[in-house]
Amino acid sequence: MNKVEVFEAGGCCSTEVTNPEEKRESIRFSVAMNQLASEGYDVARYNILSDTAAFDKNTTVKKALNDDFSQLPITLVDGKIVKMKSLPSNDELAKWTSLDAQKLGGKPRIRLEISK
Amino acid sequence: MFPLFDVGKLNLTPHLFFTGKGGVGKTSTACGTAIVLADQGKKVLLVSTDPASNLQDVFETELDMNFKEIPEVPNLFVTNLDPEEAAARYREDVVGPYRGKLPDAVVNQMEEQLSGSCTVEIASFNAFSHLLTDKKKATEFDYIIFDTAPTGHTLRLLQLPSAWNQFLHNSKEGTLQGGLLAGLDQQKEVYRHTVEVLSDPTLTSLVLVTRPDSAPLKEAARASSELAGIGITNQLLIVNGLLNDPLASDQTADAFAKRQREALEHMPDVLKGITTYAVPLAPFNITGVDHVRRLFVPSRGLSEPVPVSRDVDFPSLASMIDDVEKKGQRVIFTMGKGGVGKTTVASAMAVGLAERGHKVHLTTTDPAAHLDQVLHEDIAGLISMSKIDQKLEVKKYRDEVLAKARETMDENGVAYTEEELNSPCTEEIAVFRAFANIVERADDEIVVIDTAPSGHTLLLLDATEAYHREIAHTSGEVPASVQNLLPRLRNPEETAVVIVTLAETTPVFEAERLVVDLKRAGIEPTGWVVNQSKAATHTKDSVLQARAADEQTWIERVQRNAKNRYAVIPWHANEIVGYKELKQITY
């Protein structure tokens, strides 16, 4: 099973909050990662503020940041960088974990028609 | 109309939290309560977690995080837990070990992210919880009195199961708590216990402090319902600073008392059901134990003569407007805490500049200002107006985000996202783009705005936008208005930043912190305005005279802060609205 690791920028008033589109993107990603974790996939998220040690320990990430600190978020699959500067899409996550992308959309949508 | 706050006769709970808008007298009333209880032989701990605390002035002694016994008041111990210091320590704990290991740019960015008001809020909550849940301290003291209270936002957030779910921690508060709590389940237990103690009416009461004025009354009502909503139901209300016997022949005193009566008559309904006490306006400043003792006992005679304010003339807003004109500044914004009169000052400056023949655009965030009705008389061609509606901007932002959350997240996730959007930063961020667009208009006309993002937000968003510029594909083109914003605000030839405050302890401290924050972002204030000054009214009422004398020390401090570039606006009985009234204060 592939190991997916995502190294993210921090915290208070980070990039996503200037723009609801990005906030929604972050929600989409959180839901997908929670889903993968709950189904036992080997996924991890590291936030630079709360998991700084993980950044320091990972020489690949550290080197990428040394070149240009604005690379975050950085995604590694089995230790190799596969994506930088934006969060992985559900399709990408599905590809790396071999899970059906449909399953990563969060709770199923049920449409109710109420007639008057 | 309300009974006096006679501490000795009340049946108080062992924990008391004082809360209220800045400047209503939280610290003085908390100190007064502590001293009276200690005088009765009770063992009392007084805790300040207010970053703008003036406990040191009140007790005329150095205080720190240790429990210090006050020599004039046996049984009273005081501790000053500055949450900004605690936040700084926490920041250093997080960032320090990686200095020199991770790239400097990364380390700097981490530091700024941990410099916001949310970090300070959590740090002060941490301080509360440790005192409240320490069994030894709980039995050692009869009373523990706090001169601040946690906000409903913090308390609600900590009660949500998702706050503890690490995968949601990539967003604001989540990260902070994740960091603060870093893997300590024990801490989670402390927080749970804290909420329990807070919502036990036999242990904890909330003391809402207000002035008899509409803005602080509204704030008290908001805090009351918010904290009742999370279970803190044992509440009492102190109306502080009532002028009871105004000097009949004095216009200012008469108008002052009338305004107070009217504010209380229109008191918000939620406050009407709360047991309310009055504290009269003190004809002295609240420094020194002796003065504080007298606060609740007006009958006690004064040992020294009532101070009299010197009759001085202060610089008016006109000279500040002249300065702006001379320098050719084209972006003017007024900054200050809520309720100090930012909108009034901004409107007056807009009128003053239009009167001098300039084309001006005025933007306010205060929908109650009704400026459209106010200004269109003589200078309609020169002033245009718009509104940044904070509530509307926030609502748009919330709705967009929550729609996505509801679509994909479970109940806990949605609840967490919703609470996160209640954070004080959301409002600031939601208006940021609107603000940036308005500033851009300064290319063609002078722009006056009654608000601005904090230095912290500007720094973070500037770094953010730098980042966006490189990844335009995720968020589309970055508007030029945003790209140019910070350089423009930093340029004193282009931008005037006017700090608005009141000549009182807390508002001046709060304004000073605002200035520190702006300086961090490389923005230097142009001048200060002291609003609603009693010292500038030439009142003859003895109580107001004493207040005016106290104001003078704060005005002097403002004068030093402002390096003489300051103006004083006299206290007005009614809000200054309308073209004619605004014009008056600019000449």
Side-chain angles (χ1 to χ4, degrees), chain B residues 534-566:
Chain B
K534 293 182 270 295
T537 60
H538 310 289
T539 175
K540 297 282 172 268
D541 180 273
S542 64
V543 175
L544 290 184
Q545 272 262 323
R547 303 311 312 154
D550 188 39
E551 272 190 3
Q552 281 173 350
T553 54
W554 293 106
I555 294 176
E556 279 159 24
R557 180 157 169 158
V558 165
Q559 186 180 359
R560 280 196 304 277
N561 284 337
K563 299 185 188 76
N564 280 325
R565 290 183 307 259
Y566 77 111

mmCIF file of all heavy atoms in Angstrom, chain B residues 534-566:
data_model
loop_
_atom_site.group_PDB
_atom_site.id
_atom_site.type_symbol
_atom_site.label_atom_id
_atom_site.label_comp_id
_atom_site.label_asym_id
_atom_site.label_seq_id
_atom_site.Cartn_x
_atom_site.Cartn_y
_atom_site.Cartn_z
ATOM 1 N N LYS B 534 -13.810 64.872 28.101
ATOM 2 C CA LYS B 534 -14.472 65.733 29.080
ATOM 3 C C LYS B 534 -13.577 66.911 29.447
ATOM 4 O O LYS B 534 -14.047 67.991 29.769
ATOM 5 C CB LYS B 534 -14.865 64.914 30.312
ATOM 6 C CG LYS B 534 -15.955 63.887 29.992
ATOM 7 C CD LYS B 534 -16.406 63.101 31.196
ATOM 8 C CE LYS B 534 -15.617 61.825 31.428
ATOM 9 N NZ LYS B 534 -15.768 60.808 30.373
ATOM 10 N N ALA B 535 -12.267 66.663 29.346
ATOM 11 C CA ALA B 535 -11.329 67.738 29.673
ATOM 12 C C ALA B 535 -11.475 68.910 28.700
ATOM 13 O O ALA B 535 -11.169 70.049 29.035
ATOM 14 C CB ALA B 535 -9.901 67.206 29.647
ATOM 15 N N ALA B 536 -11.933 68.616 27.492
ATOM 16 C CA ALA B 536 -12.049 69.678 26.493
ATOM 17 C C ALA B 536 -13.407 70.383 26.550
ATOM 18 O O ALA B 536 -13.700 71.244 25.740
ATOM 19 C CB ALA B 536 -11.813 69.100 25.094
ATOM 20 N N THR B 537 -14.263 70.015 27.522
ATOM 21 C CA THR B 537 -15.589 70.639 27.584
ATOM 22 C C THR B 537 -15.642 71.857 28.503
ATOM 23 O O THR B 537 -16.629 72.569 28.520
ATOM 24 C CB THR B 537 -16.664 69.660 28.090
ATOM 25 O OG1 THR B 537 -16.292 69.231 29.408
ATOM 26 C CG2 THR B 537 -16.832 68.483 27.168
ATOM 27 N N HIS B 538 -14.608 72.038 29.314
ATOM 28 C CA HIS B 538 -14.587 73.120 30.318
ATOM 29 C C HIS B 538 -15.759 73.001 31.284
ATOM 30 O O HIS B 538 -16.367 73.993 31.677
ATOM 31 C CB HIS B 538 -14.597 74.494 29.634
ATOM 32 C CG HIS B 538 -13.553 74.609 28.551
ATOM 33 N ND1 HIS B 538 -12.208 74.690 28.826
ATOM 34 C CD2 HIS B 538 -13.663 74.635 27.204
ATOM 35 C CE1 HIS B 538 -11.535 74.768 27.685
ATOM 36 N NE2 HIS B 538 -12.398 74.730 26.689
ATOM 37 N N THR B 539 -16.096 71.785 31.678
ATOM 38 C CA THR B 539 -17.197 71.573 32.622
ATOM 39 C C THR B 539 -16.823 72.087 34.015
ATOM 40 O O THR B 539 -15.651 72.115 34.391
ATOM 41 C CB THR B 539 -17.562 70.077 32.710
ATOM 42 O OG1 THR B 539 -18.548 69.908 33.732
ATOM 43 C CG2 THR B 539 -16.360 69.222 33.071
ATOM 44 N N LYS B 540 -17.835 72.488 34.776
ATOM 45 C CA LYS B 540 -17.589 72.955 36.148
ATOM 46 C C LYS B 540 -18.093 71.955 37.186
ATOM 47 O O LYS B 540 -17.922 72.134 38.374
ATOM 48 C CB LYS B 540 -18.290 74.309 36.371
ATOM 49 C CG LYS B 540 -17.761 75.425 35.478
ATOM 50 C CD LYS B 540 -16.434 75.968 35.999
ATOM 51 C CE LYS B 540 -15.801 76.947 35.015
ATOM 52 N NZ LYS B 540 -14.863 76.275 34.079
ATOM 53 N N ASP B 541 -18.755 70.888 36.736
ATOM 54 C CA ASP B 541 -19.250 69.864 37.652
ATOM 55 C C ASP B 541 -18.060 69.199 38.350
ATOM 56 O O ASP B 541 -17.087 68.810 37.698
ATOM 57 C CB ASP B 541 -20.038 68.818 36.867
ATOM 58 C CG ASP B 541 -20.585 67.718 37.755
ATOM 59 O OD1 ASP B 541 -19.855 66.729 37.998
ATOM 60 O OD2 ASP B 541 -21.733 67.853 38.208
ATOM 61 N N SER B 542 -18.149 69.048 39.682
ATOM 62 C CA SER B 542 -16.949 68.614 40.407
ATOM 63 C C SER B 542 -16.548 67.183 40.069
ATOM 64 O O SER B 542 -15.364 66.871 39.959
ATOM 65 C CB SER B 542 -17.136 68.783 41.918
ATOM 66 O OG SER B 542 -18.173 67.940 42.346
ATOM 67 N N VAL B 543 -17.528 66.285 39.905
ATOM 68 C CA VAL B 543 -17.182 64.904 39.577
ATOM 69 C C VAL B 543 -16.574 64.835 38.167
ATOM 70 O O VAL B 543 -15.529 64.209 37.950
ATOM 71 C CB VAL B 543 -18.427 63.983 39.670
ATOM 72 C CG1 VAL B 543 -18.081 62.581 39.200
ATOM 73 C CG2 VAL B 543 -18.944 63.941 41.093
ATOM 74 N N LEU B 544 -17.199 65.516 37.222
ATOM 75 C CA LEU B 544 -16.669 65.510 35.855
ATOM 76 C C LEU B 544 -15.309 66.207 35.790
ATOM 77 O O LEU B 544 -14.431 65.810 35.024
ATOM 78 C CB LEU B 544 -17.655 66.171 34.882
ATOM 79 C CG LEU B 544 -18.938 65.390 34.599
ATOM 80 C CD1 LEU B 544 -19.773 66.118 33.558
ATOM 81 C CD2 LEU B 544 -18.646 63.971 34.134
ATOM 82 N N GLN B 545 -15.140 67.238 36.607
ATOM 83 C CA GLN B 545 -13.844 67.930 36.694
ATOM 84 C C GLN B 545 -12.752 66.947 37.120
ATOM 85 O O GLN B 545 -11.652 66.955 36.572
ATOM 86 C CB GLN B 545 -13.929 69.042 37.746
ATOM 87 C CG GLN B 545 -14.413 70.349 37.209
ATOM 88 C CD GLN B 545 -13.246 71.278 36.911
ATOM 89 O OE1 GLN B 545 -12.255 71.288 37.641
ATOM 90 N NE2 GLN B 545 -13.355 72.019 35.840
ATOM 91 N N ALA B 546 -13.086 66.114 38.091
ATOM 92 C CA ALA B 546 -12.099 65.142 38.566
ATOM 93 C C ALA B 546 -11.761 64.145 37.456
ATOM 94 O O ALA B 546 -10.607 63.763 37.272
ATOM 95 C CB ALA B 546 -12.635 64.415 39.793
ATOM 96 N N ARG B 547 -12.797 63.737 36.711
ATOM 97 C CA ARG B 547 -12.544 62.828 35.586
ATOM 98 C C ARG B 547 -11.683 63.533 34.539
ATOM 99 O O ARG B 547 -10.784 62.945 33.944
ATOM 100 C CB ARG B 547 -13.842 62.350 34.923
ATOM 101 C CG ARG B 547 -14.848 61.640 35.810
ATOM 102 C CD ARG B 547 -14.283 60.553 36.668
ATOM 103 N NE ARG B 547 -13.412 59.629 35.939
ATOM 104 C CZ ARG B 547 -12.447 58.921 36.493
ATOM 105 N NH1 ARG B 547 -12.197 59.027 37.785
ATOM 106 N NH2 ARG B 547 -11.734 58.109 35.773
ATOM 107 N N ALA B 548 -11.983 64.796 34.299
ATOM 108 C CA ALA B 548 -11.234 65.573 33.309
ATOM 109 C C ALA B 548 -9.764 65.685 33.708
ATOM 110 O O ALA B 548 -8.869 65.586 32.871
ATOM 111 C CB ALA B 548 -11.865 66.948 33.135
ATOM 112 N N ALA B 549 -9.544 65.865 35.011
ATOM 113 C CA ALA B 549 -8.159 65.960 35.487
ATOM 114 C C ALA B 549 -7.427 64.652 35.210
ATOM 115 O O ALA B 549 -6.262 64.639 34.800
ATOM 116 C CB ALA B 549 -8.145 66.268 36.984
ATOM 117 N N ASP B 550 -8.125 63.533 35.417
ATOM 118 C CA ASP B 550 -7.529 62.226 35.152
ATOM 119 C C ASP B 550 -7.263 62.067 33.646
ATOM 120 O O ASP B 550 -6.231 61.536 33.241
ATOM 121 C CB ASP B 550 -8.466 61.131 35.661
ATOM 122 C CG ASP B 550 -7.821 59.756 35.593
ATOM 123 O OD1 ASP B 550 -6.618 59.666 35.893
ATOM 124 O OD2 ASP B 550 -8.515 58.791 35.222
ATOM 125 N N GLU B 551 -8.206 62.557 32.853
ATOM 126 C CA GLU B 551 -8.018 62.482 31.396
ATOM 127 C C GLU B 551 -6.727 63.164 30.960
ATOM 128 O O GLU B 551 -6.072 62.731 30.022
ATOM 129 C CB GLU B 551 -9.183 63.184 30.685
ATOM 130 C CG GLU B 551 -10.380 62.320 30.408
ATOM 131 C CD GLU B 551 -11.368 63.037 29.493
ATOM 132 O OE1 GLU B 551 -11.073 64.165 29.056
ATOM 133 O OE2 GLU B 551 -12.439 62.462 29.237
ATOM 134 N N GLN B 552 -6.402 64.253 31.638
ATOM 135 C CA GLN B 552 -5.243 65.029 31.178
ATOM 136 C C GLN B 552 -3.954 64.222 31.178
ATOM 137 O O GLN B 552 -3.134 64.380 30.284
ATOM 138 C CB GLN B 552 -5.131 66.326 31.979
ATOM 139 C CG GLN B 552 -6.132 67.351 31.431
ATOM 140 C CD GLN B 552 -6.214 68.617 32.254
ATOM 141 O OE1 GLN B 552 -5.672 68.695 33.355
ATOM 142 N NE2 GLN B 552 -6.912 69.613 31.728
ATOM 143 N N THR B 553 -3.803 63.319 32.169
ATOM 144 C CA THR B 553 -2.583 62.507 32.150
ATOM 145 C C THR B 553 -2.568 61.598 30.916
ATOM 146 O O THR B 553 -1.523 61.342 30.334
ATOM 147 C CB THR B 553 -2.446 61.626 33.409
ATOM 148 O OG1 THR B 553 -3.645 60.865 33.548
ATOM 149 C CG2 THR B 553 -2.218 62.448 34.648
ATOM 150 N N TRP B 554 -3.758 61.127 30.516
ATOM 151 C CA TRP B 554 -3.807 60.244 29.336
ATOM 152 C C TRP B 554 -3.614 61.035 28.054
ATOM 153 O O TRP B 554 -3.007 60.548 27.107
ATOM 154 C CB TRP B 554 -5.112 59.446 29.323
ATOM 155 C CG TRP B 554 -5.138 58.489 30.475
ATOM 156 C CD1 TRP B 554 -5.870 58.586 31.621
ATOM 157 C CD2 TRP B 554 -4.309 57.325 30.630
ATOM 158 N NE1 TRP B 554 -5.565 57.552 32.467
ATOM 159 C CE2 TRP B 554 -4.611 56.761 31.892
ATOM 160 C CE3 TRP B 554 -3.346 56.699 29.831
ATOM 161 C CZ2 TRP B 554 -3.992 55.606 32.371
ATOM 162 C CZ3 TRP B 554 -2.726 55.548 30.307
ATOM 163 C CH2 TRP B 554 -3.050 55.021 31.561
ATOM 164 N N ILE B 555 -4.152 62.255 28.032
ATOM 165 C CA ILE B 555 -3.945 63.089 26.844
ATOM 166 C C ILE B 555 -2.459 63.397 26.688
ATOM 167 O O ILE B 555 -1.914 63.363 25.579
ATOM 168 C CB ILE B 555 -4.783 64.379 26.930
ATOM 169 C CG1 ILE B 555 -6.279 64.021 26.877
ATOM 170 C CG2 ILE B 555 -4.437 65.338 25.780
ATOM 171 C CD1 ILE B 555 -7.221 65.191 27.042
ATOM 172 N N GLU B 556 -1.789 63.646 27.821
ATOM 173 C CA GLU B 556 -0.336 63.892 27.740
ATOM 174 C C GLU B 556 0.400 62.675 27.191
ATOM 175 O O GLU B 556 1.350 62.795 26.424
ATOM 176 C CB GLU B 556 0.216 64.261 29.123
ATOM 177 C CG GLU B 556 -0.019 65.722 29.466
ATOM 178 C CD GLU B 556 0.051 65.988 30.965
ATOM 179 O OE1 GLU B 556 0.699 65.212 31.698
ATOM 180 O OE2 GLU B 556 -0.583 66.974 31.404
ATOM 181 N N ARG B 557 -0.056 61.502 27.614
ATOM 182 C CA ARG B 557 0.576 60.281 27.123
ATOM 183 C C ARG B 557 0.354 60.131 25.605
ATOM 184 O O ARG B 557 1.259 59.748 24.871
ATOM 185 C CB ARG B 557 0.004 59.086 27.874
ATOM 186 C CG ARG B 557 0.597 57.774 27.439
ATOM 187 C CD ARG B 557 0.428 56.768 28.540
ATOM 188 N NE ARG B 557 0.755 55.429 28.083
ATOM 189 C CZ ARG B 557 1.103 54.455 28.913
ATOM 190 N NH1 ARG B 557 1.179 54.686 30.198
ATOM 191 N NH2 ARG B 557 1.369 53.247 28.454
ATOM 192 N N VAL B 558 -0.867 60.436 25.169
ATOM 193 C CA VAL B 558 -1.172 60.389 23.737
ATOM 194 C C VAL B 558 -0.282 61.377 22.986
ATOM 195 O O VAL B 558 0.287 61.072 21.940
ATOM 196 C CB VAL B 558 -2.663 60.689 23.480
ATOM 197 C CG1 VAL B 558 -2.914 61.011 22.012
ATOM 198 C CG2 VAL B 558 -3.530 59.518 23.911
ATOM 199 N N GLN B 559 -0.141 62.554 23.569
ATOM 200 C CA GLN B 559 0.687 63.591 22.943
ATOM 201 C C GLN B 559 2.117 63.090 22.742
ATOM 202 O O GLN B 559 2.714 63.304 21.696
ATOM 203 C CB GLN B 559 0.670 64.824 23.854
ATOM 204 C CG GLN B 559 1.365 66.028 23.263
ATOM 205 C CD GLN B 559 1.314 67.225 24.205
ATOM 206 O OE1 GLN B 559 0.739 67.151 25.296
ATOM 207 N NE2 GLN B 559 1.922 68.318 23.797
ATOM 208 N N ARG B 560 2.646 62.388 23.762
ATOM 209 C CA ARG B 560 4.001 61.833 23.637
ATOM 210 C C ARG B 560 4.028 60.735 22.574
ATOM 211 O O ARG B 560 4.897 60.713 21.709
ATOM 212 C CB ARG B 560 4.465 61.258 24.981
ATOM 213 C CG ARG B 560 4.966 62.284 25.958
ATOM 214 C CD ARG B 560 5.768 61.635 27.091
ATOM 215 N NE ARG B 560 5.029 60.600 27.808
ATOM 216 C CZ ARG B 560 4.164 60.868 28.804
ATOM 217 N NH1 ARG B 560 3.920 62.100 29.182
ATOM 218 N NH2 ARG B 560 3.527 59.872 29.426
ATOM 219 N N ASN B 561 3.042 59.821 22.643
ATOM 220 C CA ASN B 561 2.969 58.744 21.641
ATOM 221 C C ASN B 561 2.931 59.304 20.232
ATOM 222 O O ASN B 561 3.525 58.762 19.317
ATOM 223 C CB ASN B 561 1.688 57.920 21.831
ATOM 224 C CG ASN B 561 1.772 56.982 23.013
ATOM 225 O OD1 ASN B 561 2.861 56.611 23.450
ATOM 226 N ND2 ASN B 561 0.620 56.605 23.550
ATOM 227 N N ALA B 562 2.168 60.390 20.089
ATOM 228 C CA ALA B 562 1.897 60.929 18.755
ATOM 229 C C ALA B 562 2.968 61.914 18.325
ATOM 230 O O ALA B 562 2.874 62.478 17.242
ATOM 231 C CB ALA B 562 0.535 61.614 18.752
ATOM 232 N N LYS B 563 3.968 62.090 19.159
ATOM 233 C CA LYS B 563 5.006 63.093 18.907
ATOM 234 C C LYS B 563 4.348 64.411 18.510
ATOM 235 O O LYS B 563 4.679 65.019 17.481
ATOM 236 C CB LYS B 563 5.972 62.616 17.823
ATOM 237 C CG LYS B 563 6.685 61.328 18.215
ATOM 238 C CD LYS B 563 7.733 60.928 17.194
ATOM 239 C CE LYS B 563 8.288 59.541 17.491
ATOM 240 N NZ LYS B 563 7.342 58.448 17.108
ATOM 241 N N ASN B 564 3.387 64.826 19.328
ATOM 242 C CA ASN B 564 2.670 66.085 19.153
ATOM 243 C C ASN B 564 1.674 66.158 17.998
ATOM 244 O O ASN B 564 0.980 67.147 17.859
ATOM 245 C CB ASN B 564 3.634 67.267 19.023
ATOM 246 C CG ASN B 564 4.122 67.702 20.387
ATOM 247 O OD1 ASN B 564 3.357 67.649 21.365
ATOM 248 N ND2 ASN B 564 5.369 68.092 20.480
ATOM 249 N N ARG B 565 1.634 65.137 17.176
ATOM 250 C CA ARG B 565 0.629 65.174 16.104
ATOM 251 C C ARG B 565 -0.662 64.545 16.617
ATOM 252 O O ARG B 565 -0.936 63.375 16.395
ATOM 253 C CB ARG B 565 1.146 64.441 14.862
ATOM 254 C CG ARG B 565 2.279 65.181 14.160
ATOM 255 C CD ARG B 565 2.680 64.427 12.906
ATOM 256 N NE ARG B 565 2.970 63.030 13.237
ATOM 257 C CZ ARG B 565 4.197 62.545 13.382
ATOM 258 N NH1 ARG B 565 5.234 63.294 13.218
ATOM 259 N NH2 ARG B 565 4.378 61.279 13.670
ATOM 260 N N TYR B 566 -1.435 65.360 17.354
ATOM 261 C CA TYR B 566 -2.659 64.826 17.942
ATOM 262 C C TYR B 566 -3.735 65.899 17.947
ATOM 263 O O TYR B 566 -3.455 67.087 17.758
ATOM 264 C CB TYR B 566 -2.393 64.311 19.358
ATOM 265 C CG TYR B 566 -2.288 65.378 20.404
ATOM 266 C CD1 TYR B 566 -3.282 65.513 21.381
ATOM 267 C CD2 TYR B 566 -1.229 66.269 20.423
ATOM 268 C CE1 TYR B 566 -3.203 66.501 22.347
ATOM 269 C CE2 TYR B 566 -1.150 67.265 21.379
ATOM 270 C CZ TYR B 566 -2.132 67.376 22.335
ATOM 271 O OH TYR B 566 -2.054 68.357 23.272
#
